[in-house]
Amino acid sequence: MILSRYQQALARRSQHWSPTTRGLLWTSAAGFIFSMLNALMRLLTQQIDPFQAQFLRYAFGLLVILPLVWRGGVANFMPKNMRDQFSRGLAHTVGLCLWFTALPQIPLADMTAIGFTGPIFIMIGAYLAFKEPMHWERWVAVALGFGGVLIVVGPKLSASGGWYHLMMLASAPVFAVSFLLTKAMTRYETPGVILVWQSITVSIITLPLALWVWAPLTGWQWLGFLVSGFLGSAGHYCLTRSFAAADISATQSAKFLDLVWSALMGFLLFSDIPSQSTIIGGVVIASATLWLARRESAKAAARKRNAAEVEAEAEANGSP
């Protein structure tokens, strides 16, 4: 009851927000959750094989959302296009194989820097596949955000890792394909359906790889994967909501906030003190994101005013 009242209050407060602002907030929430998930998965993949880890990550993601599927009715979670669901699952699995293999082998700063090439591939793909408009503000926000990333990670990049760096880099365009397929599916599938079938398809596709390298787990490792299931499902739900709320290219600048979340996780969990470059870069990243949100909101408000003025003028002139 209390939760319902909070949800209603939040809905009332957010009614005036532009679609881009909603998308940016959902993307920021997804980044925060994924930062916690990445820290946990890095620890687990240093203990067990990456292929087993990626299967368990999505199998537990499916396990934690099954009660919601049962409560909402299985029929309501059946996809309209099964082939698209498995195509997206296959693309995501290929990216996961590359990402999980490289994850325990390269420094965290290197991994983060390489991962931020993703928005570039997504923006290019969104323009080519969906013909999304590329306003100059979006390019500026992404450029500033990427500049902030370089400020943060530039002094920390190492030359170690060899082929693992290339594997992590190769995962970025593959994940971009997966996210673009998700964006396409939001036109006819609900976020819940996409979330459930991502867990199903990835679990099915990765099961043979996991069985090939399977090893017994400790109690703490089982608990870790259970937590990863909750975090992964919540993160992908937020990401899917952001794709449904706004143009995918409009929300990519918020991805750079992931570095801020990572620094926060390091400070709270491991007492890591952010360096000066991290603070400066974080300010640049946050400023770019907030600037884009304000610009897009102002443009949306102006469009509404113009539409209202045109309608009022038409009524005054007696137009039907």
Side-chain angles (χ1 to χ4, degrees):
M1 194 66 162
I2 296 177
L3 180 59
S4 177
R5 287 201 296 268
Y6 277 119
Q7 291 175 334
Q8 293 173 3
L10 179 60
R12 288 194 299 270
R13 287 177 175 272
S14 63
Q15 285 179 351
H16 67 284
W17 293 349
S18 71
T20 299
T21 300
R22 296 172 189 266
L24 286 168
L25 290 173
W26 281 115
T27 302
S28 299
F32 179 72
I33 295 171
F34 282 135
S35 294
M36 294 189 290
L37 175 62
N38 289 344
L40 176 60
M41 293 311 301
R42 181 172 174 80
L43 175 63
L44 290 171
T45 52
Q46 290 175 338
Q47 302 172 9
I48 66 172
D49 190 273
F51 287 159
Q52 183 179 356
Q54 71 181 37
F55 164 73
L56 290 170
R57 146 77 183 85
Y58 279 87
F60 273 94
L62 176 61
L63 179 65
V64 300
I65 59 179
L66 282 180
L68 299 178
V69 174
W70 181 263
R71 181 179 178 182
V74 175
N76 293 325
F77 287 90
M78 294 302 297
K80 293 181 172 61
N81 190 316
M82 185 70 73
R83 184 183 64 181
D84 287 354
Q85 297 292 342
F86 272 89
S87 296
R88 195 264 173 147
L90 179 60
H92 206 74
T93 298
V94 173
L96 287 171
C97 289
L98 296 168
W99 191 86
F100 269 94
T101 301
L103 178 62
Q105 303 295 334
I106 67 175
L108 183 60
D110 295 32
M111 181 194 71
T112 305
I114 293 171
F116 277 109
T117 60
I120 298 174
F121 293 110
I122 289 176
M123 290 182 66
I124 294 172
Y127 174 74
L128 294 175
F130 304 129
K131 305 302 180 185
E132 289 188 357
M134 292 305 299
H135 305 309
W136 67 270
E137 293 96 337
R138 296 180 182 179
W139 285 112
V140 171
V142 170
L144 288 174
F146 190 71
V149 171
L150 294 179
I151 292 173
V152 174
V153 304
K156 306 170 186 175
L157 288 175
S158 77
S160 63
W163 286 101
Y164 293 109
H165 282 77
L166 296 179
M167 294 182 68
M168 183 64 73
L169 178 60
S171 72
V174 179
F175 281 133
V177 171
S178 173
F179 294 145
L180 290 168
L181 289 173
T182 300
K183 172 64 176 179
M185 288 191 295
T186 58
R187 298 172 177 175
Y188 54 88
E189 302 281 16
T190 65
V193 169
I194 294 173
L195 175 64
V196 169
W197 280 92
Q198 174 179 271
S199 296
I200 293 174
T201 56
V202 173
S203 297
I204 291 174
I205 296 171
T206 58
L207 177 58
L209 298 174
L211 292 176
W212 184 262
V213 296
W214 193 270
L217 301 181
T218 66
W220 285 110
Q221 289 171 338
W222 283 113
L223 179 60
F225 281 111
L226 178 61
V227 174
S228 75
F230 281 102
L231 293 175
S233 296
H236 279 290
Y237 177 79
C238 291
L239 200 59
T240 303
R241 288 295 300 266
S242 76
F243 293 159
D247 289 349
I248 195 170
S249 55
T251 62
Q252 288 309 296
S253 61
K255 289 290 293 177
F256 297 114
L257 281 170
D258 291 0
L259 277 176
V260 178
W261 305 143
S262 297
L264 181 62
M265 292 297 103
F267 176 74
L268 293 177
L269 300 177
F270 309 108
S271 299
D272 294 336
I273 305 298
S275 65
Q276 183 179 10
S277 62
T278 300
I279 296 174
I280 295 174
V283 170
V284 172
I285 295 166
S287 298
T289 303
L290 294 174
W291 174 77
L292 178 62
R294 289 180 63 87
R295 289 284 300 184
E296 295 278 357
S297 295
K299 289 170 68 174
R303 286 195 295 268
K304 288 182 180 181
R305 287 196 301 268
N306 292 337
E309 291 172 0
V310 170
E311 184 178 353
E313 183 177 353
E315 291 179 356
N317 294 332
S319 299

